[in-house]
Coordinates of all heavy atoms in Angstrom, one line a residue:
M85 N -41.4 -35.2 4.7 CA -40.0 -35.4 4.6 C -39.2 -34.1 4.8 O -38.3 -34.0 5.5 CB -39.7 -36.0 3.2 CG -38.3 -36.1 2.9 SD -37.7 -37.8 3.2 CE -36.0 -37.6 2.7
E86 N -39.8 -33.0 4.1 CA -39.1 -31.7 4.2 C -39.3 -31.1 5.6 O -38.4 -30.5 6.0 CB -39.8 -30.8 3.1 CG -39.3 -31.1 1.7 CD -40.0 -30.1 0.7 OE1 -40.3 -29.0 1.1 OE2 -40.1 -30.4 -0.4
D87 N -40.4 -31.4 6.2 CA -40.6 -30.9 7.6 C -39.6 -31.6 8.5 O -39.0 -30.9 9.4 CB -42.0 -31.2 8.1 CG -43.0 -30.4 7.3 OD1 -42.7 -29.3 6.8 OD2 -44.2 -30.8 7.2
S88 N -39.3 -32.8 8.3 CA -38.4 -33.5 9.2 C -37.0 -33.0 9.0 O -36.2 -32.9 9.9 CB -38.5 -35.0 9.1 OG -38.1 -35.4 7.8
I89 N -36.6 -32.7 7.8 CA -35.3 -32.2 7.4 C -35.1 -30.8 8.0 O -34.1 -30.4 8.7 CB -35.0 -32.2 5.9 CG1 -34.9 -33.6 5.4 CG2 -33.8 -31.4 5.6 CD1 -34.8 -33.7 3.9
S90 N -36.2 -29.9 7.8 CA -36.1 -28.6 8.4 C -36.1 -28.6 9.9 O -35.4 -27.8 10.5 CB -37.2 -27.7 7.8 OG -38.4 -28.2 8.2
D91 N -36.9 -29.5 10.5 CA -36.9 -29.6 12.0 C -35.5 -30.1 12.5 O -35.0 -29.5 13.5 CB -38.0 -30.6 12.4 CG -39.4 -30.0 12.2 OD1 -39.5 -28.8 12.1 OD2 -40.3 -30.8 12.2
A92 N -34.9 -31.0 11.8 CA -33.6 -31.5 12.2 C -32.5 -30.4 12.0 O -31.6 -30.3 12.9 CB -33.2 -32.7 11.4
L93 N -32.7 -29.6 11.0 CA -31.7 -28.5 10.7 C -31.9 -27.5 11.8 O -30.8 -27.0 12.4 CB -32.0 -27.9 9.4 CG -31.0 -26.8 8.9 CD1 -29.6 -27.4 8.8 CD2 -31.4 -26.3 7.5
V94 N -33.1 -27.1 12.2 CA -33.3 -26.1 13.2 C -32.8 -26.6 14.6 O -32.2 -25.9 15.3 CB -34.8 -25.7 13.3 CG1 -35.1 -24.9 14.5 CG2 -35.2 -24.9 12.0
E95 N -33.1 -27.9 14.8 CA -32.7 -28.5 16.1 C -31.1 -28.6 16.2 O -30.5 -28.3 17.2 CB -33.3 -29.9 16.2 CG -33.0 -30.6 17.5 CD -33.6 -32.0 17.6 OE1 -34.8 -32.1 17.2 OE2 -33.0 -32.9 18.0
G96 N -30.5 -28.9 15.0 CA -29.0 -29.0 15.0 C -28.4 -27.6 15.2 O -27.4 -27.4 15.9
L97 N -29.0 -26.6 14.6 CA -28.5 -25.2 14.8 C -28.7 -24.7 16.2 O -27.8 -24.1 16.8 CB -29.2 -24.3 13.8 CG -28.8 -24.3 12.3 CD1 -29.6 -23.4 11.5 CD2 -27.3 -24.0 12.2
N98 N -29.8 -25.0 16.8 CA -30.0 -24.6 18.2 C -29.0 -25.4 19.1 O -28.5 -24.8 20.0 CB -31.5 -24.9 18.6 CG -32.4 -23.9 18.0 OD1 -32.0 -22.8 17.6 ND2 -33.7 -24.3 17.8
A99 N -28.8 -26.6 18.9 CA -27.9 -27.4 19.7 C -26.5 -26.9 19.5 O -25.7 -26.8 20.4 CB -28.0 -28.9 19.3
G100 N -26.1 -26.5 18.2 CA -24.8 -26.0 17.9 C -24.5 -24.7 18.6 O -23.5 -24.4 19.1
L101 N -25.6 -23.8 18.6 CA -25.4 -22.5 19.2 C -25.2 -22.6 20.7 O -24.5 -21.8 21.3 CB -26.6 -21.6 18.9 CG -26.6 -21.1 17.5 CD1 -27.8 -20.3 17.2 CD2 -25.4 -20.2 17.2
S102 N -25.8 -23.6 21.3 CA -25.7 -23.7 22.8 C -24.5 -24.6 23.1 O -24.0 -24.6 24.3 CB -27.0 -24.4 23.4 OG -27.1 -25.7 22.9
G103 N -23.9 -25.3 22.1 CA -22.8 -26.2 22.4 C -21.5 -25.5 22.0 O -21.2 -24.4 22.4
Q104 N -20.8 -26.3 21.2 CA -19.4 -25.8 20.8 C -19.4 -24.5 19.9 O -18.6 -23.7 20.1 CB -18.7 -26.9 20.0 CG -18.4 -28.1 20.8 CD -17.8 -29.2 19.9 OE1 -17.9 -29.2 18.7 NE2 -17.3 -30.3 20.6
L105 N -20.4 -24.4 19.0 CA -20.5 -23.2 18.2 C -20.7 -22.0 19.0 O -20.1 -20.9 18.8 CB -21.6 -23.4 17.1 CG -21.7 -22.3 16.1 CD1 -20.4 -22.1 15.4 CD2 -22.8 -22.5 15.2
G106 N -21.6 -22.1 20.0 CA -21.8 -21.0 20.9 C -20.6 -20.6 21.7 O -20.3 -19.5 22.0
D107 N -19.8 -21.6 22.1 CA -18.6 -21.4 22.8 C -17.6 -20.6 22.0 O -16.9 -19.7 22.4 CB -17.9 -22.7 23.3 CG -18.8 -23.3 24.4 OD1 -19.7 -22.6 25.0 OD2 -18.6 -24.6 24.6
V108 N -17.5 -21.0 20.7 CA -16.6 -20.3 19.8 C -17.1 -18.9 19.6 O -16.3 -17.9 19.5 CB -16.6 -21.0 18.4 CG1 -15.8 -20.2 17.4 CG2 -15.9 -22.4 18.6
L109 N -18.4 -18.6 19.4 CA -18.9 -17.3 19.2 C -18.7 -16.4 20.4 O -18.5 -15.2 20.2 CB -20.4 -17.4 18.8 CG -20.7 -18.0 17.4 CD1 -22.2 -18.0 17.2 CD2 -20.1 -17.2 16.3
L110 N -18.8 -17.0 21.6 CA -18.7 -16.2 22.8 C -17.2 -16.1 23.3 O -17.0 -15.6 24.3 CB -19.6 -16.8 23.9 CG -21.1 -16.7 23.5 CD1 -21.9 -17.4 24.6 CD2 -21.6 -15.3 23.3
A111 N -16.3 -16.8 22.6 CA -14.9 -16.8 23.0 C -14.3 -15.4 23.0 O -14.7 -14.6 22.2 CB -14.1 -17.8 22.1
D112 N -13.3 -15.3 23.7 CA -12.5 -14.0 23.8 C -11.7 -13.9 22.5 O -10.9 -14.7 22.2 CB -11.6 -14.0 25.0 CG -10.8 -12.7 25.1 OD1 -11.3 -11.7 24.5 OD2 -9.8 -12.6 25.8
P113 N -12.0 -12.8 21.7 CA -11.3 -12.7 20.4 C -9.8 -12.4 20.5 O -9.1 -12.6 19.6 CB -12.0 -11.6 19.6 CG -12.6 -10.8 20.7 CD -12.9 -11.8 21.8
S114 N -9.4 -12.0 21.7 CA -8.0 -11.7 21.8 C -7.1 -12.9 22.2 O -5.9 -12.8 22.2 CB -7.8 -10.6 22.9 OG -8.2 -11.1 24.1
A115 N -7.7 -14.0 22.4 CA -7.0 -15.2 22.7 C -7.0 -16.1 21.5 O -8.0 -16.6 21.0 CB -7.7 -16.0 23.8
G116 N -5.8 -16.3 20.9 CA -5.6 -17.2 19.8 C -4.5 -16.7 18.8 O -4.0 -15.6 19.0
S117 N -4.2 -17.6 17.9 CA -3.1 -17.3 17.0 C -3.6 -16.3 15.9 O -2.7 -15.7 15.2 CB -2.6 -18.6 16.3 OG -3.7 -19.2 15.6
N118 N -4.9 -16.1 15.7 CA -5.3 -15.2 14.7 C -4.9 -13.8 15.0 O -4.6 -13.0 14.2 CB -6.8 -15.3 14.5 CG -7.3 -16.5 13.9 OD1 -6.5 -17.2 13.2 ND2 -8.5 -16.9 14.1
V119 N -4.9 -13.4 16.3 CA -4.5 -12.1 16.7 C -3.1 -11.9 16.5 O -2.6 -10.9 16.0 CB -4.9 -11.9 18.2 CG1 -4.3 -10.6 18.7 CG2 -6.4 -11.9 18.4
M120 N -2.3 -12.9 16.8 CA -0.8 -12.8 16.6 C -0.5 -12.7 15.1 O 0.4 -11.9 14.7 CB -0.1 -14.0 17.1 CG -0.1 -14.1 18.7 SD 0.6 -12.6 19.4 CE 2.3 -12.7 18.9
A121 N -1.2 -13.4 14.3 CA -1.0 -13.3 12.8 C -1.4 -11.9 12.3 O -0.7 -11.3 11.5 CB -1.9 -14.4 12.1
F122 N -2.5 -11.4 12.8 CA -2.9 -10.1 12.4 C -1.9 -9.0 12.9 O -1.5 -8.1 12.1 CB -4.3 -9.7 13.1 CG -4.7 -8.3 12.9 CD1 -5.2 -7.9 11.6 CD2 -4.6 -7.4 13.9 CE1 -5.5 -6.5 11.4 CE2 -4.9 -6.1 13.7 CZ -5.4 -5.6 12.5
L123 N -1.4 -9.1 14.1 CA -0.4 -8.2 14.6 C 0.9 -8.3 13.8 O 1.5 -7.2 13.5 CB -0.2 -8.4 16.1 CG -1.3 -8.0 17.0 CD1 -0.9 -8.4 18.4 CD2 -1.7 -6.5 16.9
L124 N 1.3 -9.5 13.4 CA 2.5 -9.6 12.6 C 2.3 -9.0 11.2 O 3.2 -8.3 10.8 CB 2.8 -11.1 12.5 CG 4.0 -11.5 11.6 CD1 5.3 -11.0 12.3 CD2 4.1 -13.0 11.4
V125 N 1.2 -9.3 10.6 CA 0.9 -8.7 9.3 C 0.8 -7.2 9.3 O 1.3 -6.4 8.5 CB -0.3 -9.3 8.6 CG1 -0.7 -8.6 7.4 CG2 0.0 -10.8 8.3
A126 N 0.1 -6.7 10.4 CA -0.1 -5.2 10.5 C 1.3 -4.6 10.8 O 1.6 -3.5 10.3 CB -1.0 -4.9 11.7
G127 N 2.1 -5.2 11.6 CA 3.5 -4.7 11.9 C 4.3 -4.6 10.7 O 5.1 -3.7 10.5
L128 N 4.3 -5.7 9.9 CA 5.1 -5.7 8.7 C 4.6 -4.7 7.7 O 5.4 -4.0 7.0 CB 5.0 -7.1 8.0 CG 5.8 -8.2 8.7 CD1 5.5 -9.6 8.0 CD2 7.3 -7.9 8.6
G129 N 3.3 -4.5 7.6 CA 2.7 -3.4 6.7 C 3.1 -2.1 7.2 O 3.5 -1.2 6.4
L130 N 3.1 -1.8 8.5 CA 3.5 -0.5 9.0 C 5.0 -0.3 8.8 O 5.4 0.8 8.4 CB 3.2 -0.5 10.5 CG 3.5 0.8 11.2 CD1 2.7 2.0 10.7 CD2 3.3 0.7 12.7
G131 N 5.8 -1.3 9.0 CA 7.2 -1.2 8.7 C 7.5 -0.9 7.3 O 8.4 -0.1 6.9
M132 N 6.8 -1.6 6.4 CA 7.0 -1.4 5.0 C 6.6 0.1 4.6 O 7.3 0.7 3.8 CB 6.3 -2.4 4.1 CG 6.8 -3.8 4.2 SD 5.8 -5.0 3.4 CE 5.8 -4.4 1.7
A133 N 5.5 0.5 5.2 CA 5.0 1.9 4.9 C 6.0 2.9 5.4 O 6.3 3.9 4.7 CB 3.7 2.1 5.5
L134 N 6.6 2.7 6.6 CA 7.6 3.6 7.1 C 8.9 3.6 6.3 O 9.6 4.6 6.3 CB 7.9 3.2 8.6 CG 6.8 3.5 9.6 CD1 7.2 3.0 11.0 CD2 6.5 5.0 9.6
I135 N 9.2 2.6 5.6 CA 10.3 2.6 4.7 C 10.0 3.1 3.3 O 10.7 3.9 2.8 CB 10.9 1.2 4.7 CG1 11.5 0.8 6.0 CG2 12.0 1.1 3.6 CD1 11.9 -0.7 6.1
Y136 N 8.9 2.6 2.8 CA 8.5 2.9 1.4 C 8.2 4.4 1.2 O 8.6 5.0 0.2 CB 7.3 2.1 1.0 CG 6.8 2.4 -0.4 CD1 7.4 2.0 -1.5 CD2 5.6 3.2 -0.5 CE1 7.0 2.3 -2.8 CE2 5.2 3.6 -1.8 CZ 5.8 3.1 -2.9 OH 5.4 3.4 -4.1
V137 N 7.4 5.0 2.1 CA 6.9 6.4 1.9 C 8.1 7.4 1.8 O 8.2 8.1 0.9 CB 5.9 6.8 2.9 CG1 5.6 8.3 2.8 CG2 4.6 6.0 2.7
P138 N 9.0 7.4 2.8 CA 10.1 8.3 2.7 C 11.0 8.0 1.5 O 11.5 9.0 0.9 CB 10.9 8.1 4.0 CG 10.0 7.5 4.9 CD 9.0 6.7 4.1
L139 N 11.2 6.7 1.2 CA 12.1 6.4 0.0 C 11.4 6.9 -1.3 O 12.1 7.4 -2.1 CB 12.3 4.9 0.0 CG 13.1 4.3 -1.1 CD1 14.6 4.9 -1.0 CD2 13.1 2.8 -1.1
R140 N 10.1 6.7 -1.4 CA 9.4 7.2 -2.6 C 9.5 8.7 -2.7 O 9.7 9.2 -3.8 CB 7.9 6.7 -2.5 CG 7.1 7.0 -3.7 CD 7.5 6.1 -4.8 NE 8.2 6.9 -5.8 CZ 9.0 6.4 -6.8 NH1 9.2 5.1 -6.9 NH2 9.6 7.1 -7.7
V141 N 9.3 9.4 -1.6 CA 9.4 10.8 -1.6 C 10.8 11.3 -2.0 O 10.9 12.2 -2.9 CB 9.0 11.4 -0.3 CG1 9.3 12.9 -0.2 CG2 7.5 11.2 0.0
F142 N 11.8 10.7 -1.5 CA 13.2 11.0 -1.8 C 13.5 10.8 -3.3 O 14.0 11.6 -3.9 CB 14.1 10.2 -0.9 CG 15.6 10.3 -1.3 CD1 16.3 11.5 -1.1 CD2 16.2 9.3 -2.0 CE1 17.6 11.6 -1.4 CE2 17.5 9.4 -2.4 CZ 18.2 10.6 -2.1
L143 N 13.1 9.6 -3.8 CA 13.3 9.3 -5.2 C 12.6 10.3 -6.1 O 13.1 10.7 -7.2 CB 13.0 7.9 -5.5 CG 13.9 6.8 -4.8 CD1 13.4 5.4 -5.1 CD2 15.3 7.0 -5.3
T144 N 11.4 10.6 -5.7 CA 10.6 11.6 -6.6 C 11.2 12.9 -6.6 O 11.3 13.6 -7.6 CB 9.1 11.6 -6.0 OG1 8.6 10.3 -6.0 CG2 8.3 12.6 -6.9
V145 N 11.6 13.4 -5.4 CA 12.3 14.7 -5.3 C 13.6 14.8 -6.1 O 13.8 15.7 -6.9 CB 12.5 15.1 -3.9 CG1 13.4 16.3 -3.7 CG2 11.1 15.4 -3.2
T146 N 14.4 13.7 -6.0 CA 15.7 13.7 -6.7 C 15.4 13.6 -8.2 O 16.2 14.2 -9.0 CB 16.6 12.6 -6.2 OG1 15.9 11.4 -6.3 CG2 17.0 12.9 -4.8
A147 N 14.5 12.8 -8.6 CA 14.2 12.7 -10.0 C 13.7 14.0 -10.6 O 14.1 14.4 -11.7 CB 13.1 11.6 -10.3
R148 N 12.9 14.7 -9.9 CA 12.4 16.0 -10.4 C 13.5 17.0 -10.4 O 13.6 17.8 -11.4 CB 11.3 16.5 -9.5 CG 10.0 15.8 -9.7 CD 8.9 16.3 -8.9 NE 7.7 15.6 -9.1 CZ 6.5 15.9 -8.7 NH1 6.3 17.0 -7.9 NH2 5.4 15.1 -8.9
S149 N 14.4 17.0 -9.4 CA 15.5 18.0 -9.5 C 16.5 17.6 -10.6 O 17.0 18.5 -11.3 CB 16.3 18.0 -8.1 OG 16.9 16.7 -7.9
R150 N 16.7 16.4 -10.9 CA 17.6 16.0 -12.0 C 16.9 16.4 -13.4 O 17.6 16.9 -14.3 CB 17.8 14.5 -12.1 CG 18.9 14.0 -11.1 CD 19.1 12.6 -11.3 NE 17.8 12.0 -10.8 CZ 17.7 10.7 -10.6 NH1 18.7 9.9 -10.6 NH2 16.5 10.2 -10.2
R151 N 15.6 16.2 -13.5 CA 14.9 16.6 -14.7 C 14.9 18.1 -14.8 O 15.1 18.6 -16.0 CB 13.4 16.1 -14.5 CG 12.7 16.2 -15.9 CD 11.3 15.7 -15.7 NE 11.2 14.3 -15.2 CZ 10.4 13.9 -14.3 NH1 9.6 14.7 -13.7 NH2 10.5 12.6 -13.9
L152 N 14.8 18.9 -13.7 CA 14.8 20.3 -13.8 C 16.2 20.8 -14.3 O 16.3 21.7 -15.1 CB 14.5 20.9 -12.5 CG 14.6 22.5 -12.4 CD1 13.5 23.1 -13.3 CD2 14.3 22.9 -11.0
R153 N 17.3 20.2 -13.7 CA 18.6 20.6 -14.1 C 18.9 20.2 -15.6 O 19.5 21.0 -16.3 CB 19.7 19.9 -13.2 CG 19.9 20.6 -11.9 CD 21.0 19.9 -11.1 NE 20.4 18.7 -10.5 CZ 21.1 17.6 -10.3 NH1 22.3 17.5 -10.6 NH2 20.5 16.6 -9.7
L154 N 18.4 19.1 -16.0 CA 18.5 18.7 -17.4 C 17.8 19.7 -18.3 O 18.3 20.1 -19.4 CB 18.0 17.3 -17.6 CG 18.2 16.7 -19.1 CD1 19.6 16.7 -19.5 CD2 17.6 15.4 -19.1
L155 N 16.6 20.1 -18.0 CA 15.8 21.0 -18.8 C 16.5 22.4 -18.8 O 16.5 23.1 -19.9 CB 14.4 21.2 -18.3 CG 13.5 20.0 -18.5 CD1 12.2 20.1 -17.8 CD2 13.2 19.8 -20.0
Q156 N 17.1 22.8 -17.7 CA 17.8 24.1 -17.7 C 19.0 24.0 -18.6 O 19.3 25.0 -19.3 CB 18.2 24.5 -16.2 CG 17.0 24.9 -15.4 CD 17.4 25.0 -13.9 OE1 18.4 24.6 -13.5 NE2 16.5 25.7 -13.2
R157 N 19.7 22.9 -18.5 CA 20.9 22.8 -19.4 C 20.5 22.8 -20.9 O 21.2 23.4 -21.7 CB 21.6 21.5 -19.0 CG 22.9 21.2 -19.8 CD 23.6 20.0 -19.3 NE 24.7 19.7 -20.1 CZ 25.3 18.6 -20.2 NH1 24.9 17.6 -19.4 NH2 26.4 18.4 -20.9
I158 N 19.4 22.1 -21.2 CA 18.9 22.1 -22.6 C 18.6 23.6 -23.0 O 18.9 24.0 -24.1 CB 17.7 21.2 -22.8 CG1 18.2 19.7 -22.6 CG2 17.0 21.4 -24.1 CD1 17.1 18.7 -22.5
R159 N 17.9 24.3 -22.1 CA 17.5 25.7 -22.4 C 18.7 26.6 -22.7 O 18.8 27.4 -23.6 CB 16.7 26.2 -21.3 CG 16.1 27.6 -21.6 CD 15.1 28.1 -20.5 NE 14.0 27.2 -20.4 CZ 13.5 26.6 -19.3 NH1 14.1 26.9 -18.1 NH2 12.4 25.8 -19.3
R160 N 19.8 26.4 -21.8 CA 21.0 27.2 -22.0 C 21.7 26.8 -23.3 O 22.2 27.7 -24.0 CB 22.0 26.9 -20.9 CG 21.7 27.9 -19.7 CD 22.7 27.6 -18.6 NE 22.2 26.5 -17.8 CZ 22.8 25.6 -17.2 NH1 24.1 25.6 -17.2 NH2 22.2 24.6 -16.6
L161 N 21.7 25.6 -23.7 CA 22.3 25.2 -24.9 C 21.6 25.7 -26.1 O 22.2 26.1 -27.1 CB 22.4 23.6 -25.0 CG 23.5 23.0 -24.1 CD1 23.3 21.5 -24.1 CD2 24.9 23.4 -24.5
R162 N 20.2 25.7 -26.0 CA 19.4 26.3 -27.1 C 19.7 27.8 -27.3 O 19.8 28.3 -28.4 CB 18.0 26.1 -26.9 CG 17.5 24.7 -27.2 CD 16.0 24.5 -27.0 NE 15.6 23.2 -27.3 CZ 14.4 22.7 -27.1 NH1 13.5 23.5 -26.5 NH2 14.1 21.5 -27.5
E163 N 19.8 28.5 -26.1 CA 20.1 29.9 -26.2 C 21.5 30.2 -26.8 O 21.7 31.1 -27.6 CB 20.0 30.5 -24.8 CG 18.6 30.6 -24.2 CD 18.6 31.0 -22.8 OE1 19.7 31.3 -22.2 OE2 17.5 31.2 -22.2
E164 N 22.5 29.3 -26.4 CA 23.8 29.5 -27.0 C 23.8 29.2 -28.5 O 24.5 29.9 -29.3 CB 24.8 28.5 -26.3 CG 25.1 28.9 -24.9 CD 26.1 27.9 -24.3 OE1 26.6 27.0 -25.0 OE2 26.2 28.0 -23.1
L165 N 23.0 28.2 -29.0 CA 22.9 27.9 -30.4 C 22.2 29.0 -31.1 O 22.4 29.3 -32.3 CB 22.2 26.6 -30.6 CG 23.0 25.4 -30.2 CD1 22.1 24.1 -30.4 CD2 24.2 25.2 -31.2
A166 N 21.2 29.7 -30.5 CA 20.5 30.8 -31.1 C 21.3 32.0 -31.3 O 21.0 32.9 -32.2 CB 19.2 31.1 -30.3
Q167 N 22.4 32.2 -30.5 CA 23.2 33.4 -30.7 C 24.1 33.3 -31.9 O 24.5 32.2 -32.3 CB 24.1 33.6 -29.4 CG 23.4 33.9 -28.2 CD 24.3 33.9 -26.9 OE1 25.5 33.7 -27.1 NE2 23.7 34.2 -25.8
P168 N 24.3 34.4 -32.6 CA 25.2 34.4 -33.8 C 26.6 34.0 -33.4 O 27.1 34.3 -32.3 CB 25.1 35.8 -34.3 CG 24.6 36.6 -33.2 CD 23.8 35.7 -32.3
V169 N 27.3 33.4 -34.3 CA 28.7 33.0 -34.1 C 29.6 34.3 -34.0 O 29.5 35.1 -34.9 CB 29.2 32.1 -35.2 CG1 30.6 31.7 -35.0 CG2 28.3 30.9 -35.3
Q170 N 30.4 34.4 -33.0 CA 31.3 35.5 -32.8 C 32.6 35.3 -33.6 O 33.2 34.3 -33.4 CB 31.6 35.7 -31.3 CG 30.3 35.8 -30.5 CD 30.1 37.2 -30.0 OE1 30.9 38.0 -30.0 NE2 28.8 37.4 -29.6
P171 N 33.0 36.2 -34.5 CA 34.2 36.0 -35.2 C 35.5 36.2 -34.4 O 35.5 36.8 -33.4 CB 34.2 37.0 -36.4 CG 33.1 38.0 -36.0 CD 32.3 37.4 -34.9

């Protein structure tokens, strides 16, 4: 029984490879909607990266410059508070 099942399985695989399955495996990968879907997703990813990276850099630089100005202002105020009051 097991021999007949395994023989049928091997025969089916061999027939599939020479038939429709073989045609699919040997088909040109550039022909089909999968390539268009891949190109669409890759294009959207590239577009998002081209927008996101400069925006992220700009926001990081401006946040750091604001933080630096705030720290400098705090430092100046502390220095003014440390000075004795002038009569």
Side-chain angles (χ1 to χ4, degrees):
M85 173 101 181
E86 288 181 21
D87 291 334
S88 63
I89 292 175
S90 63
D91 290 340
L93 185 60
V94 168
E95 185 177 317
L97 286 176
N98 288 336
L101 287 176
S102 65
Q104 291 176 347
L105 184 59
D107 294 341
V108 171
L109 291 176
L110 298 175
D112 183 17
S114 64
S117 62
N118 290 337
V119 172
M120 290 305 293
F122 171 76
L123 291 176
L124 179 66
V125 170
L128 287 173
L130 182 63
M132 289 174 60
L134 289 175
I135 292 171
Y136 174 78
V137 171
L139 182 64
R140 185 71 252 165
V141 169
F142 171 74
L143 292 175
T144 301
V145 167
T146 56
R148 288 184 180 186
S149 67
R150 280 182 298 195
R151 192 177 304 134
L152 178 63
R153 280 186 278 144
L154 182 61
L155 288 173
Q156 289 172 343
R157 184 174 174 199
I158 291 171
R159 188 175 293 132
R160 273 183 275 146
L161 288 173
R162 283 183 178 172
E163 289 173 359
E164 289 177 11
L165 287 173
Q167 293 176 358
V169 177
Q170 308 254 341

